[in-house]
Structures are given as C-alpha cells and as structure tokens.
Amino acid sequence: MKSRLLICCLLAAFAVHAQAPANYYNNAYNKKGYALRKALHNIVKNHTSLSYSGLWDAFYTTDRRPDNGKVWDIYSDNPNGYTSYYYTFGSDQCGNYSSEGDCYNREHSVPKSWFNDAAPMYTDLFHLYPTDGYVNGHRSNLPLGEVNNPSWTSTNGSKLGTCSAAGYSNTVFEPNDAYKGDLARTYFYFSVCYMDKNLGQETQSMFTGGSLKPWALNMLIRWHNEDPVSQKEIDRNNAVYGIQGNRNPFIDYPELVGMIFGSDSVTAFNPTGVVEWDLSVRCQIYPNPARDKVSVVLPADLSEPVSFQLLNMMGQVVLQETQEPVDIHTLDVSALPEGVYILRAQTDKYHIHKKIIISH
C-alpha cells in the first residue's frame, strides 16, 4: 500500500522507517551484497515459533483494521474500491466454506507445500495472513504472478490465470495491487530468513533452495518499487516483533532490496543514512513527500559544485546532475513515478544520503 508519510530531514537523521530497536541491525552495518544478506539472516533467523492454533490469537494483534476493528484481509479488502465484506475475529474463523464471505482462515502466503510444512516456516507470522477461505482455496499453492486474461476474479480484484510476467507461463494468483508490495517484502524476508532452507520443494515454487527464481525476483522487485511500504506494514512489523522477537528488514529499510537483490550491491548498509564530515551542519529537504520539485538547502558556506543523484529502491540512478552552489538547489522530479527514492548529494566536503517520497 502506498505510503504518504511526511519526512523531516536533518543531516544527522535519516527519514522514516519502522522503528527497529536500538542496535538491532548493528551486525549488518557496513556490509554489502551477499555478506549483508548473510548478516541479516543471522539477525532475523532466531525467533519465537508459535503453535499453529496460536496464530488465531496472534491475528488479533497483527491484522486488526484500525477503522472498524475487523480482520484486515488482503484477499477481500479493496482500498481503491468497494469492500464486499468484513470478518469479525473469532466468530468468523473457518470451518467450512462454499463461497466468498463465509469465513477467514490462515493463509501461508509462501505455500507450505513449497517447504514441506517444515518448522519454523510453517507458523512464521511474517508470511501468515488471515484471508478469506474461499479465495485462499482458489489460490492454493500457486505462485504469485500477473494475469492479463483471468479465469477467475475475486470481489477485490485478485485473479487466477496464465502468468503474463516475463519468464513464467503457467497458472498464477495475482493479488490486489494495493498488497503487491506487502507480499514482495514478505518474500524478500523469506529469502533472507530462510536462505539456508529448501523452499523449492514443488515445481511451481518461486524459490530454488532459499533464493527466489530470476523471473520471480524481477517481478517482486517491480512490485516493491510500485507499492512502497505502508503504515499497515510498519504497524504489522512492530506487532510481529512483539510476538516473535524478529523483524522484516525490508519494511524497516526498503533500500535493502536494491542492496541485496538489485543493482546497488556495491553500497554498504549504513542505517544512519549519512556519512558526515561536520556533524553540526544541517540541511533541509522539502517538500517531502514531493510532487514536482524537491528543494535542497545546504550549508551557507558551500562554495564548490554539488553532485546530485536520485536512486530508486533497486539502486538504479534515475536522475543525475551537478549544480553550482546556490542558496536553494532545486531538482525536477515531475517525470518520475511515485515511490520511495534515495537522494545523494556530494561535494568535496559533504556527503548527504537521504530518503524522499514522490507522490504526484
């Protein structure tokens, strides 16, 4: 779901993320590429495993809608249209069902048959969601994908059909657009937390061993960029941490997708987000979220040209220019898609690394 968070920027602070505990990611600092993935694996792999029946109670905390207290079902909720039904915790648990709207159950968004029902994957809350039983049954153990000509469509627009994403041509399940980024970051978490497991025990699995297949990785990176981290995900990440004791790093730091799976593997993980030559200096970036232009105010004593780069969450440079020192530097972002970006500004004296959101 698209984030609309207002970010205040100081040189000593880096944007808005879900609030990880102090020092939680320390062992991943300054690592890059595979070493970064391995460090994150060691951080998140040890967590409390719930019983399968304990998931019902956990959902009260992790998946409660703030507007009406009902179950937040990603297979029936339609943020951009009409939601046909809502479920009440407890009383609407499945049982039997014969149509949409009958009851909700426990959906393994990474199908359990892909890892042969093994623990601790079987009850990991980061990939278990309360969802409509009938839609869940249609999804079955199919991979996620994109569908041009659906054979079946749910009330919130989730679809079954032949995959239209490059690299795969069998039947897939396409979720509502508003939850594609959520599920992408779920799969990235799985590919880090369980990188030492075999998640590809069925031919239709999106994994080979503990790594995503190339077609799946390419599609999920695109979903991650098109559907940035939402407040729902931030709240859920914090709630799961309170139960399991681990976190999804790709919700806390979306730029990790590019650093581990994308084209930014040469960049070391620096969760403070900034390399500073003068800790007393401030900068301002506004507005943030930005619509058409971003203004950057750098120190008044600046006398050398400034090199600007704007990177997407895959680590790709989408805007680059050098400007002479002025009171206010302005970058035109009107042609860029909505999403989360990293702004780098560098001179001989200063190196600034900030997160910005573009929302047209």
Side-chain angles (χ1 to χ4, degrees):
M1 300 177 70
K2 291 186 177 179
S3 175
R4 297 291 186 268
L5 302 177
L6 179 63
I7 303 172
C8 295
C9 166
L10 297 176
L11 189 59
F14 182 68
V16 170
H17 295 291
Q19 295 302 305
N23 304 321
Y24 183 78
Y25 290 108
N26 274 12
N27 289 338
Y29 287 10
N30 299 316
K31 293 183 172 63
K32 63 181 74 171
Y34 180 82
L36 175 57
R37 182 181 176 191
K38 185 66 174 179
L40 292 172
H41 164 77
N42 290 330
I43 291 169
V44 304
K45 68 178 181 178
N46 295 319
H47 57 269
T48 300
S49 293
L50 302 180
S51 67
Y52 192 53
S53 61
L55 295 170
W56 294 120
D57 288 337
F59 289 155
Y60 280 81
T61 301
T62 60
D63 293 273
R64 182 184 293 273
R65 296 182 62 93
D67 53 348
N68 58 17
K70 301 291 186 179
V71 176
W72 201 325
D73 170 13
I74 63 175
Y75 287 176
S76 63
D77 181 53
N78 188 5
N80 299 313
Y82 177 70
T83 298
S84 300
Y85 52 88
Y86 295 100
Y87 288 124
T88 299
F89 284 100
S91 61
D92 287 332
Q93 287 178 198
C94 292
N96 297 321
Y97 54 83
S98 58
S99 61
E100 261 199 85
D102 284 351
C103 60
Y104 72 97
N105 63 9
R106 296 159 290 190
E107 160 71 318
H108 292 85
S109 65
V110 178
K112 55 189 175 66
S113 58
W114 294 3
F115 49 82
N116 197 28
D117 295 11
M121 295 82 79
Y122 190 76
T123 58
D124 189 329
L125 271 168
F126 275 117
H127 87 115
L128 276 142
Y129 295 88
T131 64
D132 179 88
Y134 188 75
V135 180
N136 187 349
H138 272 70
R139 189 270 165 108
S140 185
N141 60 351
L142 293 171
L144 302 178
E146 295 173 334
V147 178
N148 286 338
N149 299 300
S151 59
W152 178 83
T153 304
S154 74
T155 60
N156 86 331
S158 299
K159 308 168 189 175
L160 288 182
T162 300
C163 187
S164 60
Y168 192 75
S169 58
N170 292 330
T171 303
V172 294
F173 177 84
E174 179 177 357
N176 184 290
D177 287 347
Y179 297 106
K180 286 179 176 175
D182 305 49
L183 290 167
R185 286 175 283 275
T186 294
Y187 274 59
F188 295 141
Y189 161 84
F190 238 65
S191 193
V192 164
C193 188
Y194 303 115
M195 61 185 290
D196 59 342
K197 308 294 185 183
N198 183 5
L199 309 176
Q201 298 189 41
E202 286 191 327
T203 56
Q204 67 267 45
S205 173
M206 298 168 71
F207 293 87
T208 298
S211 296
L212 286 158
K213 293 177 179 177
W215 76 266
L217 180 61
N218 291 337
M219 181 189 71
L220 293 175
I221 287 175
R222 179 159 45 80
W223 286 9
H224 165 72
N225 287 317
E226 292 172 350
D227 177 27
V229 172
S230 65
Q231 190 62 48
K232 174 190 186 299
E233 290 177 86
I234 292 173
D235 293 342
R236 193 175 198 273
N237 194 22
N238 292 332
V240 174
Y241 175 73
I243 297 170
Q244 287 191 175
N246 70 336
R247 303 182 68 81
N248 184 336
F250 303 99
I251 296 173
D252 285 331
Y253 296 99
E255 61 270 26
L256 284 168
V257 174
M259 292 179 178
I260 296 174
F261 302 112
S263 57
D264 198 23
S265 59
V266 298
T267 299
F269 179 47
N270 177 9
T272 63
V274 64
V275 179
E276 299 179 62
W277 276 257
D278 184 351
L279 295 177
S280 67
V281 173
R282 288 186 172 188
C283 80
Q284 289 180 305
I285 298 178
Y286 64 89
N288 200 349
R291 182 184 297 271
D292 298 315
K293 296 183 184 299
V294 174
S295 296
V296 183
V297 181
L298 295 174
D301 63 347
L302 192 64
S303 59
E304 63 267 25
V306 184
S307 173
F308 290 100
Q309 284 187 335
L310 203 61
L311 292 81
N312 62 23
M313 288 294 98
M314 292 175 64
Q316 298 169 325
V317 176
V318 295
L319 185 152
Q320 182 168 325
E321 59 185 76
T322 299
Q323 298 183 11
E324 294 300 317
V326 292
D327 291 339
I328 301 176
H329 296 269
T330 301
L331 301 175
D332 185 348
V333 297
S334 59
L336 297 177
E338 290 189 345
V340 181
Y341 295 84
I342 302 299
L343 174 65
R344 292 175 178 170
Q346 186 169 357
T347 71
D348 292 338
K349 185 178 180 181
Y350 302 109
H351 183 181
I352 300 161
H353 184 191
K354 298 296 178 182
K355 176 180 171 184
I356 65 170
I357 293 174
I358 296 176
S359 174
H360 299 304

